Amino acid sequence: MDVYLSPSETARRLGVTVKALRLYEERGLVKPLRTNAGWRAYGPDQLARVYQILALKRLGLPLARISDLLSGGAPPLAEILAVQETALRAETERVSRALDLIRAAQAKLASGAALSIDDLTTLTRETTMSETLTDDGWKAVFEPHFAKHYTPEEMAAFARRKRDAAADGTDLMGAWPVLMEEARRLMALGDPVSPAALNLARHWRSEVRKFTQGDPAIAAKVQAVWKDAMDGPDAGRLPIDAELWAFVGRAGEALKTSEPEGA
């Protein structure tokens, strides 16, 4: 027999707020059932729909875009699970590599040997550079570079877009952790023109366009900001290093050849 949950129990179990569930309902993304007394209730179909919404949000899609997708029939749950599996596998592989490096370093030290410069740089890159910056951390690292390359008007325009996206329930940066981990996994495979690398570059380009709005001048400034940040004293705190940047760049150039923007 199917179990039906109240909005508060649904929110608790799925890790969202009742307010978020009400917003999804207002946007027509999910339609709760109604009890004989008129109370909202969530059954298996409604829970599956909320799961799809949350999974698509985690990929960085705004609610308006999710609404468009779901209005044409929800993507098969299996497809969403496959995307999440890819992201989680990338994270699992990163953690596994980091643990292997830590164990090797521990064994070397236990044997009385010292860690070489190569050991230390590899250990640092693979175990600390993917550290997630807090909002204040991002601001501290990037604010000086944004001030250098962007006009106050451009900064204000981006702040407005960020506020509008937040009001829409979207994090403009939400897709980047998954993309960066996938880029690191593919870089380890060493082929920037593989179908997987081209798909990464396609998604990367799409996320960049959310910020640049297709303006090549803004895109050039994005490049300049990141270059300055990677050359700066806080480079070790960034989730991207020069090697990863170059790999994504090569994949992007290959994508331009096969799929020119605007074609």
Side-chain angles (χ1 to χ4, degrees):
M1 179 182 295
D2 288 334
V3 176
Y4 295 91
L5 306 177
S6 67
S8 59
E9 180 65 9
T10 299
R12 186 185 69 79
R13 293 199 185 192
L14 298 184
V16 298
T17 64
V18 173
K19 183 178 179 181
L21 292 177
R22 186 63 63 87
L23 175 62
Y24 303 155
E25 181 183 353
E26 290 173 355
R27 295 294 184 90
L29 297 171
V30 63
K31 185 177 181 179
L33 301 171
R34 294 282 181 167
T35 67
N36 290 336
W39 298 103
R40 291 175 175 81
Y42 290 77
D45 291 343
Q46 290 72 37
L47 293 179
R49 174 57 68 92
V50 174
Y51 173 85
Q52 290 171 319
I53 295 166
L54 297 176
L56 292 169
K57 274 174 57 62
R58 181 65 183 82
L59 296 175
L61 297 181
L63 289 183
R65 176 60 179 144
I66 293 173
S67 179
D68 290 341
L69 288 172
L70 298 185
S71 66
L77 190 56
E79 288 185 11
I80 294 178
L81 289 170
V83 172
Q84 289 196 310
E85 180 187 23
T86 297
L88 290 172
R89 282 186 183 277
E91 174 62 12
T92 299
E93 290 170 6
R94 185 192 71 78
V95 172
S96 180
R97 288 195 305 271
L99 288 173
D100 287 343
L101 287 169
I102 289 172
R103 292 180 186 124
Q106 289 173 326
K108 195 168 185 177
L109 291 173
S111 71
L115 298 182
S116 68
I117 289 178
D118 284 344
D119 290 334
L120 291 169
T121 54
T122 300
L123 193 65
T124 300
R125 184 176 66 249
E126 295 293 336
T127 65
T128 67
M129 290 188 69
S130 293
E131 177 186 358
T132 300
L133 289 172
T134 63
D135 286 344
D136 286 342
W138 280 104
K139 184 177 180 180
V141 171
F142 282 96
E143 195 169 59
H145 306 303
F146 274 105
K148 174 182 174 182
H149 293 285
Y150 287 83
T151 67
E153 292 77 16
E154 289 168 339
M155 292 289 290
F158 176 65
R160 285 194 299 273
R161 288 204 301 276
K162 190 174 181 181
R163 285 195 302 270
D164 290 345
D168 195 29
T170 301
D171 180 1
L172 285 180
M173 304 300 290
W176 284 108
V178 172
L179 284 176
M180 290 173 186
E181 289 300 336
E182 177 67 359
R184 194 168 294 281
R185 183 184 74 82
L186 293 172
M187 183 177 70
L189 299 177
D191 185 1
V193 298
S194 68
L198 293 181
N199 191 49
L200 167 77
R202 189 178 299 110
H203 289 161
W204 195 285
R205 184 169 72 181
S206 175
E207 291 302 315
V208 169
R209 285 180 66 86
K210 290 180 183 179
F211 182 84
T212 65
Q213 303 288 291
D215 186 333
I218 298 295
K221 292 182 179 185
V222 170
Q223 296 268 351
V225 164
W226 272 96
K227 184 178 184 305
D228 283 357
M230 288 188 289
D231 289 340
D234 293 308
R237 301 175 64 197
L238 300 177
I240 301 177
D241 57 20
E243 185 181 9
L244 187 65
W245 186 268
F247 176 83
V248 173
R250 290 193 295 272
E253 289 300 320
L255 181 66
K256 283 183 183 178
T257 300
S258 61
E259 299 178 15
E261 290 193 79

